[in-house]
Amino acid sequence: MPLLARILETARIQALLGGLIQITRIEMRVGSDSDVVPEAICAALKERCQGDLLDRCEVSIELVEGDQVELKSIVGIPFSARDAI
C-alpha cells in the first residue's frame, strides 16, 4: 500500500476510534533520511483531503532525524459536538 494511502487510512481509523466526525489537523514526523519530501507529502495530503472526513484539514510536518515517516497525531471535531455545529 502506498505511503499516502497508509497515512490516510490510519488517520481515518484513529478518527473513528476517537469519535471524531471531522479531522481538522494532521501532524506528522518525517525522517530526513526517508526520501520523502515534506512539501510533496503535505501537498498530496491536502489534495486528497477534500470532500470527506478530512475536508480542509491542516497538515503539519516536523522534520526529524532518521528514515521513519509517522503519523504523530490528529485533531478534530468530536461526534458529540455535531449538535453544536
Side-chain angles (χ1 to χ4, degrees):
M1 179 183 294
L3 177 62
L4 185 60
R6 286 189 313 217
I7 292 167
L8 291 171
E9 179 181 12
T10 301
R12 287 184 175 108
I13 289 169
Q14 291 302 314
L16 292 173
L17 292 173
L20 301 178
I21 58 172
Q22 186 172 6
I23 297 174
T24 57
R25 181 178 177 88
I26 292 177
E27 296 180 350
M28 296 181 53
R29 290 187 182 116
V30 174
S32 57
D33 298 327
S34 68
D35 294 330
V36 172
V37 178
E39 294 81 10
I41 195 79
C42 185
L45 278 169
K46 286 182 179 183
E47 181 180 313
R48 292 280 304 272
C49 293
Q50 296 178 10
D52 67 4
L53 175 69
L54 297 115
D55 192 31
R56 294 174 295 193
C57 178
E58 181 182 329
V59 179
S60 173
I61 297 180
E62 175 185 359
L63 191 59
V64 296
E65 290 186 26
D67 62 358
Q68 298 293 317
V69 176
E70 67 178 4
L71 182 63
K72 181 179 171 184
S73 67
I74 62 170
V75 178
I77 300 170
F79 185 77
S80 60
R82 179 186 66 185
D83 298 329
I85 296 176

